[in-house]
Each structure stands twice: as structure tokens, then as C-alpha cells.
Amino acid sequence: KQEVTQIPAALSVPEGENLVLNCSFTDSAIYNLQWFRQDPGKGLTSLLLIQSSQREQTSGRLNASLDKSSGRSTLYIAASQPGDSATYLCAASMEYGNKLVFGAGTILRVKS
Amino acid sequence: NAGVMQNPRHLVRRRGQEARLRCSPMKGHSHVYWYRQLPEEGLKFMVYLQKENIIDESGMPKERFSAEFPKEGPSILRIQQVVRGDSAAYFCASSPSREGTQYFGPGTRLLVL
């Protein structure tokens, strides 16, 4: 049974700092891994999707990496801004695109 | 292209009533997933449907819960005889293909009194 863990559970940083969020999964036979952002009381916004054959994906100030052999993914946020404050979720898809198994999330607060 | 739409956004029910949650996927998407987020817990998969078919319902409670995705119209998650423990945020996601990115709706927040 796949389990997804995210550390830290919460993170508070000053504006402008670069930061890394970590995600680990127990079963390396994933099909893809997605990073999402969730704002309080809102839905999920997909940030990046990494296929199992890929090592990383980039979008603007965001870079996500995937290391299947070690069961890890990281989300790197460059030059953080107060608007980046949200809960960040990673989710692994185990089979040929199917249900997502979510981590508990990292609550990020960027202070101005 | 409008995003995934869910309604109602908020739903209040008394114990024993029925709750019907609707999800309209993005245009061109025929794959729908339902997830539940209980208070202080992470999102958990409930069911995966493709037009008129339930593909995977391994996350659905065995009783009182059902889902459908008819040929025409939105996907429906139905909860019969609701109990307080059903209070949660229910999210729907859609995808154009089985392996594609899942796009999430804003969720329906169900409160059972």
C-alpha cells in the first residue's frame, strides 16, 4: 500500500527566500507524481506533474524533481512571495493514471 | 474553457437526510474522480468513473455512498442517511485521459447537523 509523507508539516520563511518542500513515497512503482497548491477553503490547483520517466519539471519559479529509486520528490520555490502562502500537497499515481495518493501537505507561510 | 464545476459549494443536512453532490468536468474530459477531505486529514480517494462506468470504487464506504457519471449531465456523488462523520469537503477532479493531469473543482463542503 502506497504511503506518501511530506515534511515539514509547516514552514514559515521571510519573503525572498528560496525553499524546498519534501515528499517521500514508499512504493517506487509510481506512474506519475503531482504537486498541488490549496488555499484555505478552496480547491486544489495543479502546479506540476512529473511522469515516472522524467527527472524534473519547471514552471516559472517552481521546480519539481523526482527520484524514484529513493522514493523522493522535492518542490523548489525560488524567491518566495507572500502570495505563495498556501498548503502544498504532493500526490502519487500508482497505476496507469488512476487514483492519487496524497500526502498530508506542507503549510507554507511567506512573511512580508 | 471553464474549469471543473461543483455544486452546491456548501451543503447543510440533518442526520438521516440525503446529500447529492454534483460535478461537471472540464469540456472534453471523460474521466472523473471523487476525493474526500475530512477535518484535519488529507485527501482520500473515493471513486473513479468514466462515462457511464465505475472504474475503481475501492475508496468508497461500503454503505450509503454511491456515484454515477451518466452519458449526459454531471457526475453525482450521493450519500444516503447522512451521519455527522460524513461532514467533510468533497472534491471532484476531471482528466482528459486516464494518465493525464487531474484538474480539481472548488469542492463541496458538507456539514451534517
Side-chain angles (χ1 to χ4, degrees):
Chain A
K1 178 186 174 185
Q2 176 72 282
E3 292 183 2
V4 178
T5 304
Q6 291 187 246
I7 53 172
L11 184 62
S12 182
V13 300
E15 182 177 4
E17 192 162 300
N18 302 325
L19 57 99
V20 175
L21 307 181
N22 297 291
C23 172
S24 61
F25 43 93
T26 54
D27 189 337
S28 62
I30 63 170
Y31 188 75
N32 62 46
L33 188 135
Q34 277 187 256
W35 282 92
F36 295 89
R37 167 186 174 141
Q38 184 176 26
D39 293 282
K42 301 289 181 62
L44 279 70
T45 301
S46 179
L47 298 174
L48 291 163
L49 180 148
I50 312 175
Q51 299 289 354
S52 61
S53 58
Q54 299 174 318
R55 293 300 298 263
E56 64 178 323
Q57 283 283 341
T58 298
S59 176
R61 295 182 294 108
L62 306 179
N63 175 277
S65 66
L66 175 64
D67 185 343
K68 284 182 58 179
S69 61
S70 66
R72 293 183 180 183
S73 177
T74 61
L75 179 67
Y76 175 82
I77 302 177
S80 58
Q81 303 170 358
D84 294 331
S85 298
T87 297
Y88 289 80
L89 301 164
C90 74
S93 173
M94 286 308 299
E95 299 171 8
Y96 174 51
N98 208 309
K99 58 192 175 189
L100 294 175
V101 179
F102 281 86
T106 294
I107 302 171
L108 173 65
R109 180 185 172 213
V110 181
K111 298 172 289 186
S112 57
Chain B
N1 188 4
V4 177
M5 299 178 68
Q6 290 187 249
N7 66 79
R9 295 289 305 276
H10 299 273
L11 182 62
V12 179
R13 286 287 178 266
R14 296 191 180 279
R15 282 179 296 169
Q17 292 184 319
E18 178 179 288
R20 280 182 173 245
L21 288 61
R22 295 174 182 77
C23 169
S24 296
M26 291 178 68
K27 186 176 180 181
H29 289 194
S30 60
H31 300 256
V32 166
Y33 305 78
W34 285 93
Y35 295 85
R36 177 166 66 173
Q37 189 172 37
L38 292 165
E40 308 303 323
E41 293 188 23
L43 281 103
K44 304 289 186 191
F45 167 80
M46 298 182 75
V47 63
Y48 164 39
L49 309 101
Q50 193 178 0
K51 281 290 186 181
E52 301 184 270
N53 293 304
I54 296 175
I55 307 300
D56 181 350
E57 55 181 347
S58 58
M60 286 280 270
K62 293 290 184 273
E63 298 177 346
R64 302 187 297 108
F65 285 72
S66 62
E68 63 178 9
F69 188 16
K71 186 176 181 181
E72 301 291 337
S75 175
I76 306 288
L77 180 67
R78 182 183 178 202
I79 311 172
Q80 296 177 290
Q81 300 176 325
V82 296
V83 301
R84 288 206 175 120
D86 297 333
S87 296
Y90 292 82
F91 291 97
C92 162
S94 75
S95 174
S97 64
R98 192 165 181 173
E99 69 275 14
T101 300
Q102 292 184 28
Y103 295 88
F104 280 74
T108 293
R109 280 148 184 86
L110 171 66
L111 175 62
V112 180
L113 301 176

